[in-house]
Amino acid sequence: MKLGEVFHVDYGPTRDWALVKKNAGFSGNHWIFIPDKPIGNAKPLIKKHIPKVSIPRLNKLFNVVYDNVQEALKPELSFLNLQQLEAVSVKTTEALAETKTILAMSKQFSQQQLINDIQLANLFETTRTFYHQLSNRAEQIKQFRVDFLGEMEVGSDHI
């Protein structure tokens, strides 16, 4: 059989199996099959185009993101008026998107580069931390709106 060929089995609910790998397994003498999906039914793989970036340029981008993250995380929500809360909500959404972009850019670097370049490793670890903090901030804003502003359902233009 060649890779991609389908093997038909008259047993069980899955009848057609596609060969996806040869020389697999611990011993290297196994073939791997998965249930066959006709190409017409397959979901297209959507890959966002993430531009390649140099480490110096990535550092500049990180510095901008760092400032935005600090603005989003700094204020205590209970001391904000409605206009300030909205501004923090927008800043949180923007900073969250920026951290996602930097994390996506990390995929262009090899694991070896991320291990050997301490500055790069710290940048991505800090960005991961920011992402989690911003996600928590977004949830805090949602909960604050429900608890203190009486909003029952948060609109699409709010976090």
Side-chain angles (χ1 to χ4, degrees), residues 76-100:
E76 174 59 41
L77 296 180
S78 60
F79 297 124
L80 301 178
N81 64 33
L82 193 54
Q83 187 177 12
Q84 292 167 328
L85 179 65
E86 189 61 33
V88 168
S89 178
V90 168
K91 187 58 80 173
T92 300
T93 301
E94 291 170 355
L96 197 52
E98 292 168 343
T99 57
K100 285 180 184 178

Side-chain angles (χ1 to χ4, degrees), residues 53-151:
V53 65
S54 66
I55 294 174
R57 185 155 185 194
L58 187 62
N59 281 322
K60 288 179 184 176
L61 176 61
F62 176 80
N63 290 334
V64 170
V65 171
Y66 177 86
D67 291 340
N68 292 341
V69 168
Q70 296 310 309
E71 288 180 37
L73 296 176
K74 185 178 181 181
E76 174 59 41
L77 296 180
S78 60
F79 297 124
L80 301 178
N81 64 33
L82 193 54
Q83 187 177 12
Q84 292 167 328
L85 179 65
E86 189 61 33
V88 168
S89 178
V90 168
K91 187 58 80 173
T92 300
T93 301
E94 291 170 355
L96 197 52
E98 292 168 343
T99 57
K100 285 180 184 178
T101 300
I102 290 179
L103 292 173
M105 289 176 176
S106 71
K107 293 180 171 59
Q108 73 176 319
F109 297 99
S110 70
Q111 192 67 26
Q112 198 64 30
Q113 284 175 297
L114 293 173
I115 291 170
N116 292 336
D117 189 323
I118 294 191
Q119 183 179 15
L120 194 59
N122 287 338
L123 183 143
F124 286 117
E125 189 57 39
T126 303
T127 303
R128 250 190 296 275
T129 300
F130 286 163
Y131 175 78
H132 293 296
Q133 289 173 333
L134 290 164
S135 295
N136 289 337
R137 174 48 62 109
E139 287 302 315
Q140 289 170 350
I141 291 171
K142 282 181 187 177
Q143 195 61 46
F144 183 86
R145 287 180 178 279
V146 169
D147 292 346
F148 297 104
L149 301 179
E151 293 182 8

Side-chain angles (χ1 to χ4, degrees), residues 20-39:
V20 294
K21 186 163 181 145
K22 294 182 178 183
N23 303 326
F26 181 74
S27 63
N29 61 2
H30 291 78
W31 288 8
I32 305 293
F33 291 87
I34 61 170
D36 183 45
K37 292 182 188 175
I39 292 176

